[in-house]
Amino acid sequence: MRFIFQLTISTLAIFVTSLLLPGVHVDTILTAIIVAAVLAFLNSVVKPFMILLTIPVTIFSFGIFLLFINAFVILIADRIVDGFEIDGFGWAFLFGIVQWVVTIVFENLNNTNLPKNE
């Protein structure tokens, strides 16, 4: 149940972010669902490996480099999903930040008490 809720929130955040940023293009809501699923997979499999490889840079930048890793993960999703297009690294970087903010807003708007995974 929690995964479906998170996928729905991510889908809405991706779709809204694509409406806010002119350098991000999502064809349909189905494409946004696929992007949310692909990003969830990449964030759980690829991103930790990238973080491990860049520990010195991440520590030296006080964690700011994680935003760049996030942009790279978004660009990987761009390559994988047809109908999802990012116009460059800068838009991917901005997409990551705006999507994070929009996700927080949606999560705070929906203050339901979903069952916790205990």
Side-chain angles (χ1 to χ4, degrees), residues 1-62:
M1 179 73 172
R2 185 84 181 149
F3 175 75
I4 292 177
F5 174 74
Q6 289 291 27
L7 189 66
T8 303
I9 293 292
S10 294
T11 299
L12 291 172
I14 288 166
F15 198 73
V16 168
T17 303
S18 72
L19 296 174
L20 295 173
L21 298 176
V24 178
H25 312 283
V26 176
D27 289 347
T28 64
I29 196 72
L30 178 62
T31 303
I33 294 169
I34 294 168
V35 170
V38 167
L39 283 175
F41 174 77
L42 292 173
N43 282 332
S44 64
V45 175
V46 176
K47 192 173 182 178
F49 182 68
M50 292 175 73
I51 291 170
L52 186 66
L53 290 176
T54 61
I55 285 175
V57 177
T58 303
I59 291 171
F60 182 72
S61 69
F62 299 108

Side-chain angles (χ1 to χ4, degrees), residues 6 9-10 12-18 20-21 39 43 47 67 70 74 91-108:
Q6 289 291 27
I9 293 292
S10 294
L12 291 172
I14 288 166
F15 198 73
V16 168
T17 303
S18 72
L20 295 173
L21 298 176
L39 283 175
N43 282 332
K47 192 173 182 178
L67 293 172
N70 193 45
I74 291 167
W91 287 112
F93 187 86
L94 196 56
F95 175 83
I97 294 170
V98 173
Q99 183 206 9
W100 173 67
V101 171
V102 171
T103 299
I104 289 173
V105 168
F106 281 142
E107 285 177 350
N108 286 333

